[in-house]
Amino acid sequence: QKEVEQDPGPLSVPEGAIVSLNCTYSNSAFQYFMWYRQYSRKGPELLMYTYSSGNKEDGRFTAQVDKSSKYISLFIRDSQPSDSATYLCAMSSKAAGNKLTFGGGTRVLVKP
Amino acid sequence: DADVTQTPRNRITKTGKRIMLECSQTKGHDRMYWYRQDPGLGLRLIYYSFDVKDINKGEISDGYSVSRQAQAKFSLSLESAIPNQTALYFCATSEGSGGYTFGSGTRLTVV
């Protein structure tokens, strides 16, 4: 079983809908949680960064971390066709030198 | 210029050939990483370096080697390329517990 599980999708939504993405993990030592966005033929880019449990909001994006359930989520409000990409969750722990462990990514398609 | 530059962007090579992928960064970070990305398998860590004198194997280091020539430069070599090393390769850099900055990737095909 992988340390970080993420549904590969694809997830297809109409423009303006809320996109809901999530990851589950097994390592309780993880304390830093991130979401990356990757466009086709490009490198991943950091979208959201959270430490420990709680919520973080940045514009149309909200990241949630529930350490008790080992579950993290990313919500994209008012989705746009430009949000069509692969979204990867990633997490790390100080004990492992803060090296990131990635989920496999979820492909999202926002249809006009 | 990009914060993390990878060369070449695309490469086709033959089985058994030695190939080097290069990475340079202008972020001034000490930490650098090499990942490969395969469909359905996500990003897997090949090697990482926390400073110029520190080199560590990742989860899939067999068949690969690295060289950290300077704080800003970290190269990945395939000593004798094989077809199952066909993948998208990414270099990244980070500082402490912060997020990673990735390069645009090298698409490698081994025939």
Side-chain angles (χ1 to χ4, degrees):
Chain A
Q1 188 182 2
K2 293 180 182 178
E3 239 181 333
V4 180
E5 297 279 359
Q6 188 176 4
D7 190 320
L11 180 62
S12 182
V13 300
E15 183 175 355
I18 295 175
V19 176
S20 175
L21 303 166
N22 58 74
C23 289
T24 58
Y25 63 95
S26 57
N27 186 348
S28 58
F30 286 142
Q31 54 195 144
Y32 302 97
F33 303 91
M34 297 162 218
W35 285 94
Y36 286 79
R37 178 177 61 196
Q38 185 177 20
Y39 292 114
S40 182
R41 297 186 179 276
K42 299 286 187 181
E45 56 179 333
L46 182 63
L47 204 55
M48 297 288 282
Y49 178 102
T50 53
Y51 171 69
S52 196
S53 285
N55 293 0
K56 184 174 182 179
E57 191 172 314
D58 184 1
R60 297 184 295 114
F61 300 90
T62 300
Q64 292 182 349
V65 175
D66 182 348
K67 288 192 70 179
S68 62
S69 302
K70 298 192 181 69
Y71 187 90
I72 70 170
S73 302
L74 177 71
F75 301 96
I76 308 174
R77 291 182 299 280
D78 188 25
S79 58
Q80 305 295 311
S82 59
D83 294 324
S84 298
T86 296
Y87 291 80
L88 302 110
C89 63
M91 44 201 81
S92 67
S93 67
K94 195 174 286 187
N98 294 315
K99 297 189 311 298
L100 285 180
T101 300
F102 286 86
T106 299
R107 193 158 68 92
V108 172
L109 179 61
V110 180
K111 295 186 176 180
Chain B
D1 287 343
D3 291 330
V4 181
T5 302
Q6 291 185 236
T7 56
R9 289 298 311 276
N10 295 280
R11 180 73 181 266
I12 300 174
T13 192
K14 293 184 178 181
T15 297
K17 291 291 187 181
R18 184 178 188 275
I19 182 170
M20 179 182 290
L21 309 183
E22 298 189 354
C23 176
S24 62
Q25 52 105 352
T26 58
K27 300 283 284 185
H29 292 167
D30 287 327
R31 299 182 174 203
M32 296 188 75
Y33 311 83
W34 275 104
Y35 283 87
R36 67 176 278 175
Q37 188 174 39
D38 301 273
L41 296 177
L43 285 160
R44 292 183 291 166
L45 183 62
I46 305 172
Y47 270 95
Y48 63 101
S49 170
F50 282 177
D51 65 43
V52 175
K53 296 182 180 179
D54 176 73
I55 301 287
N56 302 281
K57 293 182 177 181
E59 58 183 305
I60 54 162
S61 58
D62 287 349
Y64 302 95
S65 63
V66 291
S67 173
R68 184 82 185 266
Q69 299 96 325
Q71 186 202 39
K73 295 183 181 296
F74 192 36
S75 60
L76 175 73
S77 294
L78 286 67
E79 298 301 326
S80 179
I82 56 176
N84 76 359
Q85 292 178 313
T86 293
L88 191 52
Y89 289 84
F90 287 103
C91 174
T93 185
S94 76
E95 187 172 56
S97 60
Y100 290 11
T101 302
F102 283 86
S104 296
T106 294
R107 185 170 295 277
L108 177 66
T109 303
V110 183
V111 297

